[in-house]
Amino acid sequence: MSDMTLLIGWLLFVSHVAGIATAIMALMSSRTSQGAVAWIVTLISFPYIAVPIFWTFGRPRFYGYVSARGERDTVLRQVLQRYRPNMESFISRPEAVSGRIRAVEELARMPMTRGNRAELLIDGDATFDSLFEGIDRAEDYILVQFFIVRADEIGLAFKRKLIFQAEHGVNVYFLYDEIGSRGLPGGYLRDLEEAGVRVSAFNSSRGWRHRFQINFRNHRKIVVADGRVGWTGGLNVADEYLGRVERYGRWRDTHLKLQGPSVLALQEAFWEDWYWATGDILALGWKPRQIPDASQHVAIVPSGPADGRETASLLVQHAIHGARHRLWVTSPYFVPDHGVQDALTLAALRGVDVRVLIPERPDHLLVFLSAFAFLPEMIRNGVKIYRYQPGFLHQKVLLVDDHTSMVGTVNLDNRSFRLNFEVTAYIPDKVFAASVFEMLEQDFASSRQVSQRELEERPLWRKLVSRATYLLSPVQ
């Protein structure tokens, strides 16, 4: 037997052993039985290809972050012991609001607070005007976290604002996702660092054990100024979010400005991500701010692949099950798991006005095509599907009846539910819900309803493509 034959034999043996070991891991960790079966068969049959793919795309939890969270809990607990007593008078009691709140607080691992002011920011101009004003007013520190940052017109203006504040003594912390912001030039980051801004990528692949974890992404958008004012929602820092890119046309999006004790929950989410990315413990202000005449209840719900639960999916299902008259949802990427699909169908069957607003123009073709695999059945069961006409729809908003709204970064797809770090503001307030209703009413007026006939008359090849792409939804 030649040396080459022996080497090939050993490589085959090692590959199949690795395939079996990885298949056992898939069996023990996959979130669904279908996913477990698919991975096990593939890993045992084709380990040479499947093993590296699994370690890149198939891992169901962000294990490094889970370990860091254990360390973080010990450190953060010491901080919380100092600031949580100050929060006591702002914490909502479930009986004072609704029995629905307890589940939300359990998912958030944070209390709902009262005494907040939530302001809806519609589209890019309103959002960046508010953000820039808040950055200009900051006196102590600014926390900045985005999935996408580009060095275009708005990105450069954003950079100048941060540099100005850093040069005038404000502590600025800038956290970005290295996959979402992969096109960001090194010079952009160097300019920030030279001005004194603390800059870090999220580092999902930090450490040799996690170097292949590129499928986990930090999709959060958070800005906090002095622990007093916070922003979150759908917009990143790029010109397309202001409708300046011809390919997308008008960009329809929604952001949220918060004041009050709920801002500290946004701050806590950033704090945890920064600790993972850098190992540094930031010294921040943790005293809740009293806002005159502010009475809104807000819960901030961070979610991600380090959670023991599927937090984002459960939060959406919880909101849907609470609907009695109206359930309006907008999402640019609509490929929800079966739990959310069933919840939407059941709501429609019990007579709720269920409407789902998605884009007419896709920016991620596979995700767009996947939706048409299950939309016909949903429409048959009474779910109304609308497609936004004037441009690209990117907002992530949910409205329940006339009393509860959710605004955040979560898309209704597998990536947001299981692979991305996200954040959602849950707001059980009728005044705020009325503003969301007015906004969405205008959006639906600018949309067209998809008919059952339209989907049934599609060519066979398009139906086959939709079914095929739907099979890839777990990693899209």
Side-chain angles (χ1 to χ4, degrees), residues 272-291:
E272 182 173 321
D273 287 346
W274 185 267
Y275 182 74
W276 158 258
T278 68
D280 293 339
I281 302 166
L282 298 182
L284 304 174
W286 295 98
K287 184 176 181 180
R289 306 293 179 175
Q290 179 76 49
I291 307 299

Side-chain angles (χ1 to χ4, degrees), residues 88-262:
E88 188 65 28
S89 62
F90 293 96
I91 293 176
S92 297
R93 302 305 175 192
E95 62 270 20
V97 183
S98 167
R100 300 186 304 271
I101 302 309
R102 180 176 178 180
V104 176
E105 291 185 323
E106 289 293 326
L107 291 171
R109 304 204 317 167
M110 298 180 185
M112 174 169 283
T113 59
R114 60 183 181 82
N116 298 285
R117 178 177 297 138
E119 178 185 347
L120 203 59
L121 301 172
I122 301 174
D123 291 333
D125 288 334
T127 297
F128 284 102
D129 286 349
S130 179
L131 275 174
F132 284 0
E133 180 184 10
I135 290 170
D136 289 342
R137 289 173 175 259
E139 299 175 350
D140 187 7
Y141 60 86
I142 302 169
L143 313 178
V144 175
Q145 178 176 11
F146 283 98
F147 177 61
I148 296 173
V149 180
R150 302 197 201 283
D152 51 20
E153 184 179 349
I154 192 64
L156 294 175
F158 191 73
K159 182 183 74 169
R160 288 192 294 270
K161 292 283 185 183
L162 298 181
I163 287 175
F164 180 86
Q165 287 294 66
E167 291 177 340
H168 286 77
V170 177
N171 295 304
V172 181
Y173 303 91
F174 182 91
L175 184 63
Y176 66 98
D177 184 271
E178 62 268 41
I179 304 297
S181 300
R182 59 189 175 276
L184 191 62
Y188 187 103
L189 302 174
R190 284 194 298 274
D191 290 346
L192 290 170
E193 290 175 329
E194 289 172 1
V197 177
R198 294 281 304 279
V199 175
S200 178
F202 179 63
N203 289 324
S204 60
S205 56
R206 176 168 65 87
W208 70 269
R209 290 186 304 160
H210 316 299
R211 66 182 60 184
F212 300 116
Q213 291 188 150
I214 62 172
N215 205 33
F216 297 122
R217 301 172 192 170
N218 198 312
H219 193 242
R220 292 171 181 164
K221 295 94 176 167
I222 295 174
V223 176
V224 173
D226 297 338
R228 299 184 181 186
V229 190
W231 294 262
T232 191
L235 286 95
N236 288 292
V237 183
D239 280 349
E240 60 259 39
Y241 293 83
L242 288 141
R244 296 174 180 172
V245 177
E246 185 176 353
R247 171 189 169 193
Y248 299 110
R250 180 176 181 238
W251 190 281
R252 178 68 192 88
D253 220 326
T254 300
H255 223 68
L256 181 69
K257 176 183 177 181
L258 291 170
Q259 295 172 276
S262 62

Side-chain angles (χ1 to χ4, degrees), residues 335 365-374 458-476:
V335 193
L365 186 59
L366 289 181
V367 179
F368 179 79
L369 292 173
S370 297
F372 292 93
F374 57 85
R458 289 179 303 150
L460 177 61
W461 69 268
R462 295 188 68 176
K463 295 178 181 179
L464 292 174
V465 169
S466 293
R467 295 300 304 181
T469 55
Y470 185 46
L471 295 177
L472 299 174
S473 61
V475 295
Q476 287 173 2

